[in-house]
Amino acid sequence: MPLLQYEAPTSLAQARQALAGRSDAKILAGGTDLLVQMRLGLRDPALVVDIKHVPELMEITLGEQGLRLGAAVPGAVVTDHPEIGQLYPGFVEALGLIGSSQIQGRCSAGGNLCNASPAADCVPALIANRATCNIMGPDGERTVAVEAFNTGPASNCLAADEILVSIDLPRPGPRSSDAYLRFIPRTEMDIAVAGAAVALSLDEAGVCIDARVAIGAVAPTALLVPAAADALIGGTLDEDSLNRASAAASEAAAPITDKRGTVEYRKKVVGVLVRRAAGVAKARIEATS
Amino acid sequence: MSINIQTDFKTVGTRPIRPDGPDKVTGRAKYGADLNLSGMLYGHIVRSPHAHAVIKSIDFSAALAMPGVVATMSAEDLPEPGDRILPGAEIEMKLKDISPIIMARGKVLFHSQAVAAVAATSESLAAEAAKRVVVEYEVLPHVLDVHAAMADDAPLVHDDVFTQGIDPAPTRPSNLSADFEMAKGDIEAGFAEADLVIERTYNVPMCHQGYIEPHACVARSDENGKIEIWCCTQGPFMVRNMTAEITGIDLGKIKVTASEIGGGFGGKTTVYVEPVATILACKSGRPVKIVMSRDEVFRASGPVSSAETQVKIGAKKDGTLTAIKTDILMDSGAFSSSPILPATMFAAACYRCDNMHSRGREVLTNKPKAWAYRAPGAPQSIMAVECAVNELAQGLGIDPIDFRLLNAVEEGDVPLFGVPFQSIGLKQSLEAAKNHPNYQAALEQNQGRGVAAAFWINAGLQSSATIHVAEDGSLNVLTGNPDIGGSRASMAMLAAEVLGIPVETVRPSVVDTDSVGYCDTTGGSRTTLATGSAVMKAAGMLREELKHRAAAIWNVDIKEVEWYDGMAVVHSGIGIDELRDELRAGTAGRNPEKVLTMAELAAQAGATGGPLTASASVHAHSAQPSFAVNICDVQVDRDTGKVDILRYTCVQDAGKAVHPAYVEGQMQGGAVQGIGWALNEEYLFNDQGVLENAGFLDYRIPVASDLPMIDTVIVEVPNPLHPFGVRGVGEVPICPPMPAVATAVNRAAGTQLYDLPLSPPKLLAAIEGAGADNEAA
Ligand SMILES: Cc1cc2nc3c(=O)[nH]c(=O)nc-3n(C[C@H](O)[C@H](O)[C@H](O)COP(=O)(O)OP(=O)(O)OC[C@H]3O[C@@H](n4cnc5c(N)ncnc54)[C@H](O)[C@@H]3O)c2cc1C
């Protein structure tokens, strides 16, 4: 029987070396996707590279530019952080929705993104926040917008020997906030049937001057929906603009019917979530200014 | 027969900490998969990739070529099973219908049916070897839907099943395995008398018991051919019997030890892996462990019959029921094992009605065979009748609890199944529900309330118990019934009560099949009643023996010795009442002339006739039914179809609650399971008969945060046949939740959706449909 090889590099250089020329390797962050998939027989890597000992992957840097989040930082570290939640409450609530306390101690935003599940919770929230990915490969670094990172269910833009090192979230302007809502039939321990993230900036008069809307679990990858954002920008998040944003999200959604929901249901509910998430983000701005 | 029922208790009715609690909470308790023996092998089962196929050949050579693969098996290693009905399982089946579930014979009848097995030196090696067993199949057309299965040209699941219950017996085999009717009065005359008749169809999906612990066992055979099996089961004696029958090994050579059990709910009242591990152990000469994965549990254990029930029910303007008609169609999976009989008999057992008619049909399909789940069959048919009763009461403008009070059965009424009710607590439970704050709570927009009542029969059956007194006067109480719901605590309390001793001095244990007399399985809500009766009988015998020992020590006549408060007392000279007063006041002191404690009697046992022990067995005919009433308040999100349970209250007649906290636990657990079945739980098969949600991610049992605190009210109308008034309590709790939830949801949403589960996509479609209907009207 084949043996499973395990490496735990302590630097990016070592990690790169471990992966060099291997197509049968898998990167291990928290393992809450990878180990489950291995156990189910869905993945069968010959080499597992544990990246949790690489400093760049475990660092949090919060500065004027915004947040640089190491790709393997566990969810619980982010949700416990005193400032990140104030700047990106929607992203933090999305990450905090993953699994249970036990899962939170392991699961990472990077793993959530790289696993490329269409239903991954923190991906729409990253997109709404204009997040970008810092990727390291044999030929150096490159940067990719989160909305362009995943290419389909369980597939992303990384080459076999590339590593997602960190994710950058730009610092939001004044009177800005975000929100993420997902629909699940239960209250926790479930996978999104639909999800929506909305990031907003309002002027002093309450007019929306900037918006990003992203939806999850309703297409092969999480989608940025510019038409929904356009419906919100320039208005005061009145009924009419919310209706149009909601309709734009339903329109953009291209879901499938499966055991978790039907096409019609997902299209309808994703619109409901966009409307509600916009309301939450707006209330957050009003509460803090 | 009437007996005196005790009402004044010292221990019964209190809430001591359960003896098995600390080890379970800290993870020390040993469950089925926790035993490891030296030299042990791991078994892995090869399962069918088809829902219906002929097994043409099985080739083990590639698997056996792997180093570390030690033994293999298939149906060829089991004796040809006969037509004989196997006693002891919760549902009686013919051996020829059970053996193929352990190992398919010639054909596979459902996806994931066991076809072969291998044993190897590690789990991963066994799994790898299982992949290398080459099975050649000839795929046959399959049938999954009950209606399709009844069509004339449907593929036959068995070619030797002829519908039972039809006269004259059919000459052609079919998938309709049973079709029978029960009736009283004149059903059509009843409907003619009614001012309002409700007629509707209700669907309850196939579900799973959802026990957290997968089936697991270790088997070994010794040099004398004696087999030992350790496993998680509701019935070690059942495992002994079924393993003997299925493997052909003498029953007398098998000893079964039950581990702690992580839930069963009826699902562990049969065997799956034990006979396989036994054969592999015999063939390899080494212990063999088999632990089912969650995936295997979902696909290849015994899920719960779906039911399609048509109800027609009528009442007069004043609320009097005039006729109740039910027609129940159950999916039994690949073998006849559904609970169609109780479903048909008990559908309307809560109601006094002169005209009743109930028909039950069982259909075979290419799915795993249905098996027992808490009050088997009753939740499905009671769901239908209770929803219809709610609609009827609403149509007549009568409060649903008042409507039930008007029609509820009471002592002397004769239900459809023919056995007149003795003293029962349905009306008292309805009154308690009506007076509960939950029933008065105000409802807001998009909120709704449902109530439902339910009946369950409860079982008695056979049990044994042995009591040993240790040298310090403490007790060991041994029974053979695995403790699923706190029964060890009950056994200790019942012994303590009979002997008047502190419950802390009693150590209850569940022992192996060599160490105590026969016990039927833990199930049917029978353990506290029946095994408890054996314990009480043994404790009573021990009390008499203790009095004799005291009489010997004091050299007085036995008539002068009383047993009082855990002590032997002699009342020569003074009357027992005076003596009691003295003892109560403490003035009797510790005069050994008058008083001997358990500890003193135990210390002198050697001199008075040897160790103190007592054993007793019963065939309990004292079981009496239970009734329950639930109130459920929900809120519906009209934009997503999501249901939130706001408030939930369970009322139940426990007869006498031996340990009230564990009775409440049963009530809450049953409510949660029923809520799950109503809202999200269902088996989803694809068109090839492959289960699509074989895991707890997509088989959605409720999580704790889905639920409010579930309120409980224990009503105590004593069982007239039990000296303490005890009734079974474990099963009836799952009977009322589905109709209570479904009614609440439909009231909140303005819908008529009775196709369970009321999952969000279905409910949203119904809400939109109801909206469109209103606009059209
Ligand atoms: C019980 C349970 C509940 C869950 N609930 C949710 C939920 O509610 N919502 C949700 O979205 N998800 C959920 N998940 C899925 C999972 O927890 C998340 O996707 C999590 O964020 C994955 O992070 P991880 O660090 O554990 O990833 P891993 O399992 O370590 O990795 C995931 C994948 O990404 C790759 N990878 C990881 N890091 C990198 C990197 N830096 N560079 C390149 N590739 C990388 C791995 O090779 C692997 O293919 C749940 C899982 C479980 C077991």
Side-chain angles (χ1 to χ4, degrees):
Chain A
M1 281 203 4
L3 287 176
L4 178 64
Q5 213 187 330
Y6 172 85
E7 299 270 0
T10 54
S11 71
L12 267 180
Q14 276 182 15
R16 224 160 48 182
Q17 220 176 354
L19 291 167
R22 301 283 300 243
S23 58
D24 53 357
K26 280 307 277 181
I27 291 174
L28 172 78
T32 59
D33 279 316
L34 182 63
L35 298 184
V36 176
Q37 291 160 3
M38 284 169 67
R39 208 185 151 107
L40 288 175
L42 300 175
R43 287 193 191 281
D44 194 12
L47 167 67
V48 166
V49 180
D50 185 344
I51 51 168
K52 288 193 290 295
H53 304 277
V54 178
E56 288 87 341
L57 279 124
M58 296 299 280
E59 269 164 17
I60 291 178
T61 320
L62 195 55
E64 256 164 46
Q65 300 304 308
L67 170 69
R68 172 161 291 184
L69 178 64
V73 173
V77 173
V78 177
T79 52
D80 278 359
H81 194 280
E83 281 167 81
I84 300 177
Q86 284 167 19
L87 286 175
Y88 316 98
F91 164 62
V92 174
E93 76 195 340
L95 191 56
L97 281 175
I98 295 175
S100 56
S101 306
Q102 293 94 322
I103 299 293
Q104 282 290 310
R106 308 285 297 181
C107 70
S108 62
N112 196 230
L113 178 58
C114 292
N115 185 58
S117 156
D121 279 310
C122 81
V123 179
L126 288 171
I127 294 174
N129 278 294
R130 293 193 167 83
T132 52
C133 308
N134 300 312
I135 298 164
M136 160 78 76
D139 309 325
E141 286 188 45
R142 63 183 179 117
T143 303
V144 175
V146 169
E147 56 269 33
F149 185 86
N150 286 328
T151 50
S155 84
N156 60 35
C157 70
L158 294 181
D161 49 5
E162 282 187 310
I163 304 169
L164 173 65
V165 179
S166 60
I167 303 171
D168 286 344
L169 283 79
R171 183 174 274 275
R175 290 179 59 76
S176 298
S177 196
D178 68 336
Y180 174 75
L181 293 174
R182 67 172 180 183
F183 183 82
I184 55 172
R186 291 182 290 194
T187 46
E188 57 180 344
M189 299 305 287
D190 219 325
I191 289 191
V193 174
V198 177
L200 295 177
S201 299
L202 305 183
D203 71 9
E204 291 303 324
V207 175
C208 176
I209 51 172
D210 189 18
R212 297 260 290 183
V213 175
I215 54 179
V218 288
T221 62
L223 297 178
L224 178 67
V225 192
D230 291 346
L232 300 175
I233 295 169
T236 54
L237 301 174
D238 47 292
E239 261 314 288
D240 176 57
S241 53
L242 289 174
N243 281 344
R244 283 185 294 119
S246 169
S250 296
E251 177 66 33
I256 53 166
T257 291
D258 69 6
K259 60 199 170 191
R260 295 182 187 134
T262 57
V263 167
E264 305 73 49
Y265 183 75
R266 288 183 149 126
K267 275 180 161 283
K268 159 114 203 214
V269 168
V270 80
V272 171
L273 295 176
V274 163
R275 164 200 299 275
R276 290 181 181 177
V280 175
K282 179 184 175 208
R284 282 182 176 150
I285 296 172
E286 287 167 351
T288 51
S289 42
Chain B
M1 189 183 77
S2 96
I3 59 170
N4 284 332
I5 297 172
Q6 187 172 330
T7 53
D8 185 18
F9 298 100
K10 191 169 146 186
T11 301
V12 165
T14 65
R15 299 171 181 240
I17 290 174
R18 62 198 294 165
D20 49 313
D23 272 4
K24 282 181 175 165
V25 185
T26 56
R28 280 197 180 82
K30 296 273 181 232
Y31 288 88
D34 289 331
L35 182 82
N36 294 301
L37 300 177
S38 59
M40 189 173 80
L41 303 175
Y42 298 83
H44 198 103
I45 294 177
V46 179
R47 299 187 177 278
S48 167
H50 306 293
H52 197 189
V54 175
I55 301 170
K56 299 191 71 178
S57 64
I58 303 177
D59 180 357
F60 290 107
S61 53
L64 281 168
M66 294 171 73
V69 176
V70 182
T72 64
M73 82 165 283
S74 68
E76 291 198 355
D77 295 292
L78 301 176
E80 185 69 37
D83 240 358
R84 218 162 69 71
I85 290 193
L86 258 191
E90 171 127 3
I91 294 165
E92 289 192 338
M93 283 174 79
K94 291 175 181 164
L95 185 54
K96 72 174 175 112
D97 286 343
I98 294 177
S99 184
I101 295 168
I102 305 307
M103 277 294 149
R105 300 190 81 81
K107 263 170 105 182
V108 289
L109 303 178
F110 61 93
H111 180 267
S112 287
Q113 187 172 351
V115 174
V118 296
T121 49
S122 77
E123 257 178 288
S124 47
L125 192 58
E128 189 59 35
K131 284 189 206 148
R132 298 198 194 175
V133 175
V134 181
V135 186
E136 207 190 328
Y137 296 97
E138 181 194 327
V139 178
L140 300 171
H142 58 267
V143 63
L144 301 170
D145 174 76
V146 282
H147 293 284
M150 287 192 292
D152 279 344
D153 56 353
L156 282 180
V157 181
H158 297 269
D159 56 16
D160 60 350
V161 167
F162 299 85
T163 312
Q164 298 213 330
I166 302 184
D167 195 22
T171 51
R172 269 187 49 187
S174 80
N175 295 321
L176 179 63
S177 45
D179 182 351
F180 60 93
E181 295 176 337
M182 314 179 85
K184 68 173 190 172
D186 181 340
I187 195 78
E188 291 314 321
F191 286 120
E193 250 186 285
D195 293 311
L196 180 62
V197 174
I198 300 288
E199 197 170 359
R200 204 176 273 291
T201 301
Y202 304 83
N203 276 293
V204 174
M206 181 172 275
C207 74
H208 194 269
Q209 300 86 351
Y211 37 85
I212 299 301
E213 185 195 15
H215 303 266
C217 75
V218 177
R220 84 166 187 185
S221 84
D222 71 11
E223 301 300 335
N224 301 320
K226 170 120 188 167
I227 308 290
E228 280 188 84
I229 301 172
W230 294 263
C231 60
C232 66
T233 178
Q234 291 177 240
F237 290 90
M238 171 276 294
V239 172
R240 182 174 74 174
N241 184 40
M242 289 185 75
T243 302
E245 294 278 354
I246 291 163
T247 61
I249 296 169
D250 289 348
L251 182 144
K253 289 194 168 153
I254 303 174
K255 169 172 140 184
V256 180
T257 307
S259 66
E260 288 291 351
I261 179 168
F265 310 108
K268 291 178 185 161
T269 58
T270 184
V271 292
Y272 296 102
V273 287
E274 295 83 350
V276 180
T278 299
I279 294 291
L280 290 170
C282 291
K283 287 180 80 169
S284 66
R286 290 167 69 172
V288 174
K289 179 179 199 164
I290 301 182
V291 180
M292 280 172 90
S293 67
R294 175 67 55 198
D295 186 84
E296 289 178 288
V297 171
F298 271 114
R299 294 183 197 280
S301 64
V304 182
S305 285
S306 64
E308 176 185 302
T309 304
Q310 282 172 275
V311 177
K312 187 174 175 189
I313 185 166
K316 292 194 213 162
K317 279 202 187 78
D318 66 3
T320 319
L321 281 169
T322 59
I324 307 176
K325 189 174 175 185
T326 50
D327 186 341
I328 305 150
L329 188 59
M330 273 191 160
D331 186 347
S332 189
F335 295 93
S336 172
S337 54
S338 80
I340 186 65
L341 195 65
T344 309
M345 287 197 292
F346 305 149
C350 285
Y351 301 104
R352 171 194 288 166
C353 180
D354 292 335
N355 309 303
M356 291 198 190
H357 186 279
S358 193
R359 179 185 186 195
R361 280 174 294 166
E362 178 191 74
V363 180
L364 304 181
T365 59
N366 293 110
K367 300 199 191 110
K369 63 120 201 342
W371 202 245
Y373 183 23
R374 262 184 135 154
Q380 292 97 316
S381 62
I382 286 175
M383 151 73 201
V385 169
E386 289 301 294
C387 287
V389 164
N390 285 336
E391 202 178 339
L392 189 58
Q394 188 180 39
L396 293 169
I398 303 175
D399 171 89
I401 295 188
D402 287 340
F403 183 91
R404 287 179 171 83
L405 279 167
L406 192 68
N407 293 292
V409 286
E410 56 190 8
E411 188 168 358
D413 285 334
V414 184
L416 191 56
F417 60 90
V419 184
F421 287 119
Q422 305 202 28
S423 176
I424 50 174
L426 175 57
K427 287 199 166 172
Q428 292 85 337
S429 299
L430 287 163
E431 296 282 2
K434 201 177 166 187
N435 294 327
H436 193 280
N438 190 158
Y439 202 61
Q440 267 78 47
L443 292 173
E444 292 164 21
Q445 215 191 347
N446 297 328
Q447 298 184 350
R449 174 168 298 147
V451 296
F455 157 93
W456 180 246
I457 186 94
N458 296 330
L461 305 175
Q462 305 175 75
S463 282
S464 305
T466 292
I467 303 182
H468 302 163
V469 183
E471 301 90 300
D472 64 353
S474 64
L475 259 59
N476 285 93
V477 173
L478 316 180
T479 72
N481 279 103
D483 177 355
I484 332 185
S487 60
R488 263 168 298 185
S490 303
M491 297 308 115
M493 291 171 78
L494 293 170
E497 186 70 49
V498 171
L499 287 161
I501 55 175
V503 70
E504 296 74 29
T505 65
V506 185
R507 288 177 300 274
S509 310
V510 180
V511 297
D512 65 71
T513 51
D514 280 3
S515 303
V516 70
Y518 178 83
C519 293
D520 275 314
T521 297
T522 297
S525 306
R526 60 174 290 279
T527 304
T528 299
L529 178 109
T531 310
S533 291
V535 169
M536 289 169 68
K537 192 170 161 190
M541 289 158 63
L542 183 62
R543 190 179 53 198
E544 288 314 301
E545 178 65 16
L546 288 160
K547 283 163 63 180
H548 274 102
R549 302 291 179 97
I553 292 169
W554 287 321
N555 198 16
V556 298
D557 192 278
I558 180 70
K559 290 202 201 76
E560 294 181 19
V561 179
E562 284 290 328
W563 188 257
Y564 178 77
D565 230 8
M567 296 174 288
V569 293
V570 65
H571 54 102
S572 49
I574 56 171
I576 182 69
D577 290 341
E578 282 172 273
L579 185 67
R580 237 169 231 172
D581 290 345
E582 259 185 40
L583 287 163
R584 263 192 201 125
T587 48
R590 293 287 308 101
N591 182 353
E593 300 275 327
K594 284 185 177 168
V595 177
L596 280 166
T597 64
M598 278 291 287
E600 287 160 348
L601 287 163
Q604 296 182 59
T608 57
L612 291 156
T613 66
S615 289
S617 293
V618 299
H619 190 158
H621 295 290
S622 51
Q624 282 286 289
S626 291
F627 289 88
V629 179
N630 283 185
I631 308 166
C632 173
D633 290 357
V634 303
Q635 171 147 340
V636 169
D637 182 334
R638 296 190 65 84
D639 292 328
T640 64
K642 169 118 198 282
V643 174
D644 285 319
I645 308 282
L646 297 174
R647 283 176 286 270
Y648 204 99
T649 303
C650 310
V651 184
Q652 184 176 325
D653 174 18
K656 175 70 200 170
V658 175
H659 192 306
Y662 302 154
V663 174
E664 289 158 4
Q666 292 294 318
M667 294 162 74
Q668 291 167 324
V672 173
Q673 289 184 316
I675 290 168
W677 205 353
L679 293 182
N680 283 305
E681 290 181 40
E682 67 181 313
Y683 260 38
L684 298 168
F685 290 94
N686 71 14
D687 59 7
Q688 295 304 303
V690 182
L691 185 63
E692 293 214 293
N693 55 338
F696 280 131
L697 179 54
D698 285 302
Y699 182 87
R700 293 190 169 78
I701 62 174
V703 296
S705 55
D706 291 342
L707 302 157
M709 186 62 195
I710 293 179
D711 217 339
T712 54
V713 180
I714 299 175
V715 170
E716 293 187 324
V717 175
N719 171 359
L721 303 184
H722 187 280
F724 294 167
V726 170
R727 296 177 195 271
V729 299
E731 290 170 295
V732 77
I734 202 178
C735 299
M738 280 196 281
V741 172
T743 301
V745 169
N746 281 311
R747 297 278 159 93
T751 50
Q752 296 278 18
L753 178 62
Y754 292 107
D755 180 21
L756 267 49
L758 305 177
S759 56
K762 249 198 261 174
L763 183 57
L764 187 63
I767 289 171
E768 288 177 342
D773 286 352
N774 287 345
E775 271 162 39

